[in-house]
Amino acid sequence: MTTGVRRRMGVEERRQQLIGVALDLFSRRSPNEVSIDEIAAAAGISRPLVYHYFPGKLSLYEAALKRAAEDLASRFVEPHEGPLGGRLLRVMRRFFDFVDEHGPGFSALMRGGPAVGSSATNALIDSVRQIAYDQILSHLLVEDPPARLDMVIRSWISLVESTALIWLDGRRIPRAELELKLVHDFAALAAVSAAFDEEMTELLRHILKDEPQDGPFTDLAAKLIVLAS
């Protein structure tokens, strides 16, 4: 008869395991409610061994946030193929996949959680926002954005974040509706800005010229025409 032998993990492998375990627990409950004892038990190791790899819960929390931020940032990467409205809708679906799967963890990432106000947490949040910003610019084929476009994109990213956080508090609006609404919101913000600026007008025309009849931007225009009639 043979018995199984537990393989000893290397330092980095064990660290990555603990980060994964912490992320899983943070995805189901607020990080403030998760103890080091729970993380240790889920990882199958002792509490002192957790402290061997991380000096405290805060350092483990920040490492878990870093992985979550990298995952979230990757949701904004989209091939430059097809109309912009469809691309943004696919991005929003992936974004809300993350929000849906990691509700408490997403809230902690955006609000700081146990590390609220820390420079490390703020830098992680800012990095996700910057990647989202850079991705939108790349889809618009703009390298040096004018002030109004810069404001449109940054305002929209803030709106996406706040909408997701509000939605998590009860999920009272269908997720698919919110995903489409946020794509509409981008077009609406751009349209309002275009009303005051010729450069934004040209950019909006460029965005809309390839929009299909069944695309989200065309859908918004049709709804607005009905409201105005």
Side-chain angles (χ1 to χ4, degrees), residues 143-161:
E143 293 185 0
D144 185 18
R148 289 176 180 82
L149 178 59
D150 178 81
M151 185 174 293
V152 164
I153 297 174
R154 295 191 188 281
S155 297
W156 182 70
I157 291 170
S158 295
L159 180 61
V160 170
E161 290 177 12

Side-chain angles (χ1 to χ4, degrees), residues 118-129:
S118 80
S119 58
T121 303
N122 291 338
L124 284 173
I125 296 169
D126 287 342
S127 71
V128 174
R129 290 170 178 154

Side-chain angles (χ1 to χ4, degrees), residues 136-198:
I136 299 301
L137 278 185
S138 71
H139 284 279
L140 296 174
L141 303 178
V142 174
E143 293 185 0
D144 185 18
R148 289 176 180 82
L149 178 59
D150 178 81
M151 185 174 293
V152 164
I153 297 174
R154 295 191 188 281
S155 297
W156 182 70
I157 291 170
S158 295
L159 180 61
V160 170
E161 290 177 12
S162 59
T163 297
L165 287 170
I166 293 168
W167 178 74
L168 282 171
D169 186 17
R171 309 187 186 211
R172 293 173 292 174
I173 297 175
R175 187 185 128 177
E177 179 183 327
L178 281 186
E179 292 164 356
L180 181 59
K181 175 192 173 299
L182 286 166
V183 176
H184 286 173
D185 287 336
F186 181 86
L189 287 168
V192 170
S193 185
F196 297 89
D197 182 75
E198 184 59 32

Side-chain angles (χ1 to χ4, degrees), residues 66-225:
K66 182 174 186 297
R67 184 184 291 183
E70 291 169 350
D71 183 5
L72 182 57
S74 72
R75 310 293 175 113
F76 286 92
V77 179
E78 171 70 20
H80 291 202
E81 300 171 359
L84 180 64
R87 298 182 216 172
L88 288 180
L89 188 55
R90 289 190 291 273
V91 168
M92 286 298 93
R93 286 169 180 162
R94 288 196 300 272
F95 176 82
F96 271 89
D97 280 343
F98 181 95
V99 173
D100 209 359
E101 295 164 8
H102 304 282
F106 174 80
S107 295
L109 176 62
M110 291 297 110
R111 292 171 171 151
V116 64
S118 80
S119 58
T121 303
N122 291 338
L124 284 173
I125 296 169
D126 287 342
S127 71
V128 174
R129 290 170 178 154
Q130 188 61 43
I131 288 171
Y133 176 85
D134 292 341
Q135 282 294 314
I136 299 301
L137 278 185
S138 71
H139 284 279
L140 296 174
L141 303 178
V142 174
E143 293 185 0
D144 185 18
R148 289 176 180 82
L149 178 59
D150 178 81
M151 185 174 293
V152 164
I153 297 174
R154 295 191 188 281
S155 297
W156 182 70
I157 291 170
S158 295
L159 180 61
V160 170
E161 290 177 12
S162 59
T163 297
L165 287 170
I166 293 168
W167 178 74
L168 282 171
D169 186 17
R171 309 187 186 211
R172 293 173 292 174
I173 297 175
R175 187 185 128 177
E177 179 183 327
L178 281 186
E179 292 164 356
L180 181 59
K181 175 192 173 299
L182 286 166
V183 176
H184 286 173
D185 287 336
F186 181 86
L189 287 168
V192 170
S193 185
F196 297 89
D197 182 75
E198 184 59 32
E199 194 170 9
M200 284 298 299
T201 299
E202 288 302 313
L203 179 63
L204 190 60
R205 285 174 179 157
H206 174 72
I207 291 171
L208 295 177
K209 71 181 178 64
D210 295 325
E211 184 73 6
Q213 289 300 312
D214 61 347
F217 292 163
T218 307
D219 176 62
L220 173 61
K223 285 180 169 61
L224 292 175
I225 290 172

